Amino acid sequence: MNNLLPHKYKAYSLHNFRSIEYMNRLSEQELFDIEVVGNVFPFKVSNYVLDELINWDNYQDDPIFRLTFPHRDMLVEEHYNLMAETLKNGAGKLEVRTVANQIRTELNPHPAGQMKLNVPVFNGQRLTGVQHKYRETVLFFPSSGQTCHSYCTFCFRWPQFTGIDELKFAMKETDLLVKYLQQHHEVTDLLFTGGDPMIMKARVFRKYLEPFLDGTHNTNIQTIRIGSKSLAYWPYKFTTDADADEMLGIFRELVDKGFNVSFMAHFSHPVELSTEAVQKAVERILATGTQIRTQSPVLRHINDNANLWSKMWRQQVNMNMIPYYMFVERDTGAQHYFEIPLEETWEIFRQAYRKVSGICRTVRGPSMSCTPGKVEVLGVQKIAGQKVFVLRFIQGRNPNWVGRPFFAKYDPEATWFNDLEPAFEKHFFFQHEMDKETEEAIESNNKYLFN
Ligand SMILES: *Cc1c(COP(=O)(O)O)cnc(C)c1O
Ligand code: SF4
């Protein structure tokens, strides 16, 4: 079965990255920059990424190096200088952390109302490891899955990794989750997310799924999704790791129980599809009857290129995966470093989309996950003499909003939904309902937060 040799997982973070052999190519200034920025953004990189994905001959421009290693420009000058001075003055751990937290609070750590709006309440208790925003789908953040094999420097989940406890979503009790789902039969999809749930050992993962495996869940769950970047950061999870077969066994059991199991694989660059390990891992997952859907944001310095996307989608389909979402970089963290104007993002999507056959066009986007919902940029168009963005909800807090096109004033600099203003009308059609809902949700949450 497993004819590859086992691979020992090794991850490096801020305290030991200087011992990575490739670091001898970097200048002292570059190493210091990693330290400065790495104290603000989470930093962790696995030996697989170092040895198999990064091209060290060209590391400064290498997309995977940029994806995983902190870069000086991720912090604005003011923040960079603040942290650099703090470190140069030989500040202690506590002081460094205080400065880091101060900077982080200025970087919108909870975009799209994640904390205030989407955390459901069950029997008077906030389910802090759960988010329920779109009617059919519940996100679950198992507390054992709140880390990843490597960290993406753009990640909007970054507050979870930084040790600010109150910012952390986590919940041990599958029990409460299942009880919530029993009362919410409109929910058909349960999405395990994190961090990366595939960081879990198979026996821990099984614990969370027990009610679904033993048939006692009594919910209306039909699809179980697993959001994971493990195929890009540690594919050995499904090939040579000690629990690889056991993990795949769980997938197969779920499929046999009649669940649609969908592995939502995060791939940001074609090089992540190129290794023997990932190809083997994909094959083994598919062999369990699990489907693999793919998604990624489009990011400056990483994948801001239409040819790269068409190649990536085509390759994914050749590996029997299903392209699913292209996201717009969110308004959090080092947004200024990764962001791309919406118009350019749409151009990248459109030019890539028209190069591939209909089989690859299962992909949707570019999509912004913002407070009212997932908003797709359909394009830039001139209507009655006025240049506008044509937009559409792929998902909405209110399901009635889904599929309805609407317009925003053209703005060549807009990079995110909040930059947009309604065209032709004073308010977006959903604005009034949205404001009302937000108020109610915040009120009800405050009640639970402060009582
Ligand atoms: C994207 C997302 C989902 C899943 O949406 P689908 O369109 O069904 O893939 C669910 N919940 C939240 C909060 C999301 O952002
Ligand atoms: S793997 Fe996913 S959760 Fe982890 S850092 Fe990357 S984007 Fe964030």
Side-chain angles (χ1 to χ4, degrees):
M1 309 271 304
N2 265 342
N3 45 17
L4 296 164
L5 290 170
H7 293 84
K8 193 165 165 43
Y9 173 71
K10 190 156 171 46
Y12 298 86
S13 58
L14 207 57
H15 75 276
N16 64 350
F17 79 97
R18 281 173 185 262
S19 70
I20 300 171
E21 56 168 297
Y22 307 105
M23 289 300 106
N24 62 21
R25 300 171 183 235
L26 275 65
S27 69
E28 191 46 47
Q29 183 62 46
E30 284 175 312
L31 294 170
F32 181 65
D33 289 345
I34 291 175
E35 240 158 67
V36 172
V37 180
N39 266 299
V40 178
F41 298 113
F43 168 44
K44 177 176 174 186
V45 63
S46 73
N47 50 336
Y48 170 79
V49 172
L50 294 170
D51 296 336
E52 302 274 331
L53 300 186
I54 294 175
N55 173 7
W56 288 100
D57 291 336
N58 185 27
Y59 69 91
Q60 280 163 328
D61 293 322
D62 184 84
I64 306 300
F65 181 78
R66 290 289 190 105
L67 180 64
T68 50
F69 278 81
H71 188 283
R72 180 189 178 120
D73 297 346
M74 285 174 191
L75 287 177
V76 295
E77 200 63 23
E78 180 200 339
H79 289 157
Y80 180 92
N81 290 339
L82 178 62
M83 183 53 87
E85 284 309 310
T86 309
L87 295 180
K88 277 184 189 152
N89 292 338
K93 262 194 182 147
L94 198 69
E95 194 187 334
V96 172
R97 193 180 310 160
T98 307
V99 171
N101 284 345
Q102 182 191 331
I103 296 173
R104 286 173 193 145
T105 54
E106 290 175 35
L107 299 173
N108 191 21
H110 289 288
Q114 281 181 74
M115 288 282 269
K116 287 206 169 83
L117 294 179
N118 305 332
V119 175
V121 169
F122 175 78
N123 288 351
Q125 195 175 341
R126 290 176 93 241
L127 304 186
T128 51
V130 174
Q131 284 184 34
H132 190 187
K133 178 170 180 179
Y134 306 129
R135 190 172 53 194
E136 290 80 15
T137 304
V138 156
L139 305 190
F140 180 49
F141 297 75
S143 57
S144 323
Q146 296 312 303
T147 180
C148 312
H149 294 96
S150 300
Y151 294 149
C152 312
T153 38
F154 71 82
C155 179
F156 72 95
R157 302 233 205 273
W158 55 275
Q160 290 173 74
F161 312 136
T162 54
I164 314 176
D165 277 351
E166 69 267 30
L167 294 179
K168 203 164 166 173
F169 294 110
M171 189 177 77
K172 279 227 161 71
E173 303 83 4
T174 312
D175 216 38
L176 272 177
L177 167 74
V178 170
K179 282 190 180 127
Y180 179 79
L181 294 174
Q182 285 168 349
Q183 289 192 355
H184 291 269
H185 273 244
E186 73 278 15
V187 181
T188 55
D189 289 36
L190 173 59
L191 201 169
F192 281 80
T193 181
D196 191 330
M198 290 295 101
I199 199 90
M200 280 189 255
K201 291 272 177 282
R203 89 190 121 76
V204 179
F205 186 56
R206 174 180 283 279
K207 275 256 170 326
Y208 286 106
L209 283 160
E210 210 87 291
F212 300 94
L213 291 166
D214 67 18
T216 60
H217 61 99
N218 205 14
T219 69
N220 189 30
I221 294 302
Q222 295 163 45
T223 287
I224 294 179
R225 305 195 215 178
I226 299 151
S228 174
K229 196 163 168 83
S230 52
L231 283 171
Y233 282 166
W234 192 251
Y236 304 127
K237 181 75 187 169
F238 309 100
T239 59
T240 57
D241 275 7
D243 64 344
D245 290 347
E246 197 183 340
M247 186 58 93
L248 293 170
I250 297 171
F251 293 4
R252 193 184 301 267
E253 264 180 72
L254 288 168
V255 170
D256 289 345
K257 286 270 171 208
F259 291 106
N260 166 249
V261 183
S262 191
F263 193 102
M264 314 301 286
H266 175 187
F267 289 114
S268 319
H269 194 282
V271 74
E272 295 169 335
L273 305 168
S274 67
T275 69
E276 198 187 327
V278 71
Q279 287 162 10
K280 184 92 193 154
V282 166
E283 272 173 33
R284 298 193 88 216
I285 292 172
L286 291 175
T288 68
T290 297
Q291 300 176 320
I292 305 178
R293 288 182 174 74
T294 61
Q295 54 191 25
S296 170
V298 48
L299 305 152
R300 189 70 82 204
H301 311 298
I302 313 283
N303 60 18
D304 52 340
N305 175 305
N307 285 332
L308 178 154
W309 280 88
S310 55
K311 186 175 152 195
M312 184 160 74
W313 292 332
R314 187 63 243 182
Q315 224 162 307
Q316 287 167 353
V317 166
N318 294 352
M319 292 162 77
N320 289 319
M321 299 189 278
I322 307 165
Y324 190 61
Y325 273 140
M326 176 205 263
F327 292 117
V328 178
E329 154 66 0
R330 299 182 78 136
D331 56 338
T332 179
Q335 184 193 17
H336 69 93
Y337 176 82
F338 292 112
E339 72 186 358
I340 301 172
L342 288 179
E343 184 177 25
E344 187 184 339
T345 305
W346 164 65
E347 278 293 345
I348 292 171
F349 179 87
R350 180 169 88 102
Q351 286 179 24
Y353 191 79
R354 68 180 191 214
K355 278 202 191 94
V356 293
S357 84
I359 291 292
C360 310
R361 290 187 189 160
T362 46
V363 67
R364 288 167 303 158
S367 165
M368 294 178 273
S369 293
C370 42
T371 314
K374 279 189 167 68
V375 175
E376 181 181 16
V377 182
L378 285 174
V380 174
Q381 188 57 277
K382 217 170 196 176
I383 296 179
Q386 190 180 335
K387 213 169 172 189
V388 293
F389 283 114
V390 185
L391 307 162
R392 181 172 69 170
F393 278 107
I394 296 179
Q395 281 288 9
R397 304 189 68 77
N398 183 334
N400 294 332
W401 303 344
V402 173
R404 195 166 147 185
F406 62 105
F407 306 99
K409 286 185 183 145
Y410 173 70
D411 175 353
E413 275 157 35
T415 57
W416 187 249
F417 186 72
N418 295 1
D419 301 333
L420 299 177
E421 291 191 30
F424 309 121
E425 285 171 304
K426 243 177 134 164
H427 302 287
F428 288 126
F429 75 88
F430 52 89
Q431 193 62 53
H432 180 66
E433 273 172 14
M434 181 68 214
D435 291 346
K436 205 167 122 224
E437 261 188 50
T438 309
E439 212 171 284
E440 281 169 12
I442 289 177
E443 221 167 81
S444 115
N445 254 286
N446 284 345
K447 197 168 89 203
Y448 290 104
L449 279 174
F450 302 118
N451 276 357

